[in-house]
């Protein structure tokens, strides 16, 4: 007997019942990630003013696949339809074998929107490849590792040299605190990205994340014994995973091993919370963060960022590794922090 047909619909803002069904599907779907959850629609539209197209496929009134998309249009960086800007994972969440027709229907609708809106390219930020014949971005990898059931076993699983740095942080009397606001985090984050020559995301973005995701969005700040903030990380919790996502530190953090202590304290807390996976997140191959994560014993896993090109000849390279941005990075590093924080959101909103 033939199954009922698939119907593609769009998630309408201000429809809490449908959003709740969407999120229930994402949490139950093996391909679902934190970045497939519905609050991203309101965040991307409300904070960054990008038009969102959150598509879902229904069969017999049940959601069987979702595809969150957002349109980024910039004179500097081009016109794209992406799943999903400001997120490291995206693409379609579905049971690919059982719902091949739903996947095909969502991809067809995404292609239609892309052509109708006149974008230069369509980007899927997949964890696993879907289209072997599509151009792919080879720049990024992710780092994921199991959290062991016992706290001390996780300490012993850290390679010896990195474990010594964690113990140095403990010896220095560093203390981790769960913050109710993003204030201390943002101060450290914005100063940190300025030192690296990149614009900061607006503070209201992080405030909106905390508001939208509640306890699933957590700020951990490490201080010295006197209470001075040294390092901070904003993390997401999804199912049995913890995802440290945005971070910042003071110039004194390195000598005191505050960053090493910070991630250990997060791992310890996640273990006690019952989490089973530590997702260290995306890094560019060969960079400092890439090496740092490998030194923790995490193995890089390639990310399958796939592109459908409409008005481009090659995959865009809108990232700090692109040599054409070196002069901009050097200039940005010299800006006063207040000026950088005022100008940054107008630039970074177009990068995604």
């Amino acid at each position: 007997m033939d199954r009922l047909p698939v119907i593609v619909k769009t998630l309408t803002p201000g429809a809490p019942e449908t959003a709740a069904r969407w999120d229930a599907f994402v949490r139950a779907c093996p391909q679902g990630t934190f970045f497939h959850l519905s609050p991203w629609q309101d965040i991307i539209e409300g904070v960054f003013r990008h038009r969102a197209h959150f598509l879902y496929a229904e069969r017999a009134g049940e959601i069987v696949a979702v595809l969150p998309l957002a349109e980024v249009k910039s004179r500097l960086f081009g016109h794209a339809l992406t799943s999903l800007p400001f997120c490291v994972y995206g693409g379609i969440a579905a049971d690919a074998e059982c719902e091949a027709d739903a996947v095909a229907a969502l991809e067809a609708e995404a292609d239609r929107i892309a052509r109708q809106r006149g974008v230069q390219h369509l980007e899927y930020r997949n964890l696993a490849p879907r289209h072997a014949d599509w151009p792919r971005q080879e720049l990024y990898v992710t780092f994921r590792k199991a959290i062991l059931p016992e706290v001390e076993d996780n300490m012993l699983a850290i390679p010896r040299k990195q474990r010594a740095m964690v113990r140095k942080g403990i010896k220095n009397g560093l203390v981790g605190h769960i913050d109710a606001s993003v204030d201390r985090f943002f101060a450290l984050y914005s100063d940190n990205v300025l030192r690296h020559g990149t614009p900061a995301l607006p503070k209201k973005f992080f405030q909106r994340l905390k508001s939208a995701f509640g306890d699933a969005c957590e700020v951990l700040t490490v201080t010295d014994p006197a209470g001075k903030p040294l390092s901070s990380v904003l993390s997401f919790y999804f199912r049995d995973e913890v995802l440290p996502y945005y971070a910042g530190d003071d110039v004194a953090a390195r000598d005191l091993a505050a960053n090493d202590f910070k991630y250990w304290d997060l791992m310890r807390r996640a273990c006690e919370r019952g989490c089973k996976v530590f997702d260290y997140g995306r890094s560019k191959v060969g960079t400092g963060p890439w090496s740092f994560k490998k030194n923790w014993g995490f193995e890089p896993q390639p990310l399958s960022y796939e592109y459908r090109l409409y008005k481009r000849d090659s995959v865009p390279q809108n990232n700090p590794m692109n040599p054409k941005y070196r002069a901009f990075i050097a200039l940005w590093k010299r800006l006063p922090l207040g000026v950088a924080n005022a100008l940054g959101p107008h630039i970074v909103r177009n990068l995604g």
Side-chain angles (χ1 to χ4, degrees):
M1 182 177 178
D2 293 337
R3 293 197 296 174
L4 293 173
V6 164
I7 300 172
V8 174
K9 298 181 179 180
T10 300
L11 182 63
T12 303
E17 292 183 2
T18 307
R21 291 200 300 124
W22 172 297
D23 290 339
F25 169 80
V26 168
R27 290 189 175 93
C29 178
Q31 292 184 350
T33 72
F34 183 85
F35 307 102
H36 286 91
L37 293 170
S38 66
W40 286 102
Q41 181 182 41
D42 179 63
I43 291 168
I44 287 171
E45 290 191 336
V47 176
F48 300 108
R49 304 188 308 280
H50 296 316
R51 182 171 178 176
H53 307 265
F54 274 44
L55 310 177
Y56 63 99
E58 276 190 345
R59 191 192 310 276
E62 296 293 327
I63 296 177
V64 295
V66 300
L67 172 57
L69 291 160
E71 182 183 350
V72 179
K73 192 173 186 178
S74 166
R75 290 182 180 180
L76 287 175
F77 306 110
H79 189 187
L81 189 64
T82 303
S83 180
L84 197 61
F86 307 101
C87 301
V88 296
Y89 309 140
I92 294 175
D95 186 327
E97 293 184 4
C98 297
E99 299 297 344
D101 56 340
V103 171
L106 286 177
E107 290 197 344
E109 179 62 8
D111 179 63
R112 185 194 69 78
I113 293 171
R115 294 178 186 276
Q116 180 192 61
R117 301 295 298 171
V119 305
Q120 294 170 296
H121 69 270
L122 169 65
E123 177 186 3
Y124 291 152
R125 297 182 177 179
N126 303 323
L127 269 166
R130 283 189 182 272
H131 300 280
D133 57 335
W134 283 22
R136 188 172 300 173
Q137 174 70 273
E138 305 290 351
L139 181 63
Y140 298 108
V141 296
T142 192
F143 294 82
R144 292 165 56 83
K145 188 177 180 182
I147 297 175
L148 302 173
E150 299 297 326
V151 170
E152 187 58 26
D153 289 341
N154 288 289
M155 173 69 85
L156 296 175
I158 302 171
R160 181 176 58 82
K161 289 184 178 180
Q162 208 69 31
R163 187 166 67 245
M165 293 297 291
V166 173
R167 296 200 187 280
K168 178 181 177 181
I170 296 172
K171 186 177 180 180
N172 285 332
L174 303 185
V175 182
H177 310 264
I178 301 301
D179 289 357
S181 78
V182 302
D183 292 347
R184 296 199 297 181
F185 160 80
F186 185 78
L188 291 165
Y189 157 80
S190 58
D191 182 64
N192 182 272
V193 296
L194 176 61
R195 298 199 306 269
H196 287 84
T198 55
L201 289 155
K203 186 175 183 179
K204 67 178 180 179
F205 169 58
F206 302 108
Q207 292 170 329
R208 187 71 70 88
L209 289 173
K210 283 284 294 175
S211 174
F213 292 110
D215 292 342
C217 177
E218 184 180 86
V219 174
L220 171 67
T221 299
V222 172
T223 69
D224 68 9
K228 178 187 176 182
L230 295 170
S231 189
S232 188
V233 59
L234 184 148
S235 303
F236 301 132
Y237 286 88
F238 180 72
R239 292 194 292 235
D240 59 357
E241 304 177 8
V242 60
L243 300 85
Y245 201 67
Y246 292 107
D249 58 49
D250 185 80
V251 291
R254 185 171 184 176
D255 288 343
L256 294 170
N259 292 327
D260 304 272
F261 176 84
K262 173 180 67 181
Y263 289 114
W264 162 247
D265 200 38
L266 178 64
M267 185 178 291
R268 175 188 65 79
R269 292 169 185 270
C271 175
E272 293 174 348
R273 188 167 168 163
C275 292
K276 295 181 172 59
V277 176
F278 194 93
D279 187 326
Y280 233 147
R282 184 183 82 176
S283 291
K284 303 176 190 71
V285 174
T287 60
W290 178 86
S291 298
F292 182 82
K293 294 168 186 178
K294 281 183 64 68
N295 290 341
W296 270 71
F298 287 64
E299 287 302 317
Q301 304 169 32
L303 287 171
S304 296
Y305 286 13
E306 297 174 343
Y307 293 77
R308 187 162 194 172
L309 305 179
Y310 300 98
K311 299 179 182 180
R312 288 187 182 277
D313 297 325
S314 61
V315 172
Q317 298 296 327
N318 297 331
N319 63 80
M321 301 289 285
N322 191 328
K324 75 177 184 179
Y325 297 129
R326 285 176 184 166
F328 172 84
I329 291 171
L331 174 63
W332 197 266
K333 288 180 179 180
R334 295 197 292 269
L335 291 177
L337 181 60
V339 174
N341 284 348
L343 296 177
H346 302 287
I347 298 172
V348 76
R349 66 176 292 272
N350 295 311
L351 289 172

